[in-house]
C-alpha cells in the first residue's frame, strides 16, 4: 500500500473509533512465508497465556499504525517489514486494564530472516496453514481472523498451481 493510502485509511479508522468512544489501538501483523502464516505463542503467565496470535501490539502515543506495524513486528519476531500490502479489518475487545480496545490487522511482506522471539512475551512460533490451525490454542476472535487468512492463502496457492499447470512446464 502506498504511504498516502495508509495515511488516509488510518485517518478514517481513527475517526470511526473516536465516534465509537475508542481511544486505544493495537495492530496485528500477518506475515506469510512459503504459503504459511506466522503465529506466536504468548508466555503462560501473560494475558491469554499459552494462546497463539499474530505478532503485534499497542500503538504508542504519536505513532502511526504503519510505524507500529514495523516496530511491533521487529520487536516481537526480529523480522523487518518491507511493505504493508493489505488491511484486513478490525475488531474490538477488552483487556485486563482497558474496557475497549480496537485491533486492526495488516498483511506485510517481510525481509528474509529468521524469527527471534522477544523474551518474556512469546515463547514459541509456528508457520501454519489451515491443517495446523485446528491444533493450536487460540482465542476465538483470533482464530476467526487467522482462519480467514490461511483459507485465503490456500485459495491463492491453489489458483497459482492451476495457472502453472495450464501454462505447462518452463524450460
Amino acid at each position: 500500500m502506498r504511504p498516502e493510502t495508509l495515511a488516509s485509511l488510518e485517518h478514517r479508522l481513527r475517526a470511526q473509533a473516536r465516534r465509537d468512544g475508542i481511544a486505544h489501538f493495537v495492530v496485528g501483523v500477518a506475515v506469510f512465508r512459503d504459503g504459511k502464516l506466522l503465529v506466536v505463542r504468548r508466555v503462560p503467565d501473560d494475558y491469554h497465556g499459552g494462546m497463539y496470535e499474530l505478532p503485534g501490539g499497542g500503538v504508542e502515543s504519536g505513532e502511526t499504525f504503519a510505524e507500529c506495524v514495523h516496530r511491533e513486528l521487529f520487536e516481537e519476531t526480529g523480522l523487518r517489514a518491507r511493505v504493508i500490502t493489505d488491511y484486513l479489518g478490525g475488531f474490538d475487545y477488552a483487556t485486563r486494564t482497558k474496557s475497549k480496545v480496537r485491533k486492526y490487522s495488516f498483511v506485510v511482506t517481510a525481509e528474509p530472516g529468521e524469527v527471534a522471539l522477544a523474551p518474556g512475551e512469546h515463547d514459541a512460533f509456528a508457520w501454519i496453514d489451515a491443517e495446523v490451525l485446528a491444533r493450536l490454542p487460540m482465542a476465538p476472535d483470533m482464530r476467526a481472523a487467522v482462519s480467514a487468512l490461511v483459507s485465503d492463502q490456500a485459495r491463492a496457492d491453489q489458483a497459482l498451481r492451476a495457472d502453472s499447470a495450464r501454462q505447462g512446464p518452463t524450460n
Side-chain angles (χ1 to χ4, degrees), residues 75-147:
E75 285 178 4
E76 293 193 356
T77 69
L79 297 176
R80 293 198 182 273
R82 182 179 298 155
V83 64
I84 297 172
T85 59
D86 202 4
Y87 164 65
L88 300 171
F91 61 87
D92 298 343
Y93 66 99
T95 70
R96 290 181 196 163
T97 59
K98 296 179 180 87
S99 62
K100 269 188 164 180
V101 176
R102 186 159 291 169
K103 182 172 189 170
Y104 298 114
S105 294
F106 298 86
V107 178
V108 304
T109 300
E111 299 286 346
E114 296 300 316
V115 174
L117 297 175
E121 197 162 347
H122 297 100
D123 63 2
F125 71 93
W127 294 97
I128 67 164
D129 56 20
E131 290 179 33
V132 175
L133 173 61
R135 296 192 300 268
L136 296 179
M138 203 172 277
D141 51 4
M142 182 59 64
R143 182 173 303 282
V146 168
S147 179

Side-chain angles (χ1 to χ4, degrees), residues 32-85:
F32 286 93
R33 189 172 283 170
D34 299 324
K36 296 190 178 201
L37 177 68
L38 176 63
V39 292
V40 292
R41 186 176 66 193
R42 296 186 74 82
V43 294
D45 60 344
D46 200 0
Y47 182 72
H48 281 195
M51 302 284 212
Y52 280 84
E53 64 185 1
L54 294 175
V59 178
E60 296 176 355
S61 178
E63 186 175 45
T64 68
F65 293 168
E67 290 166 342
C68 186
V69 164
H70 287 266
R71 178 182 55 76
E72 285 290 345
L73 182 64
F74 183 72
E75 285 178 4
E76 293 193 356
T77 69
L79 297 176
R80 293 198 182 273
R82 182 179 298 155
V83 64
I84 297 172
T85 59

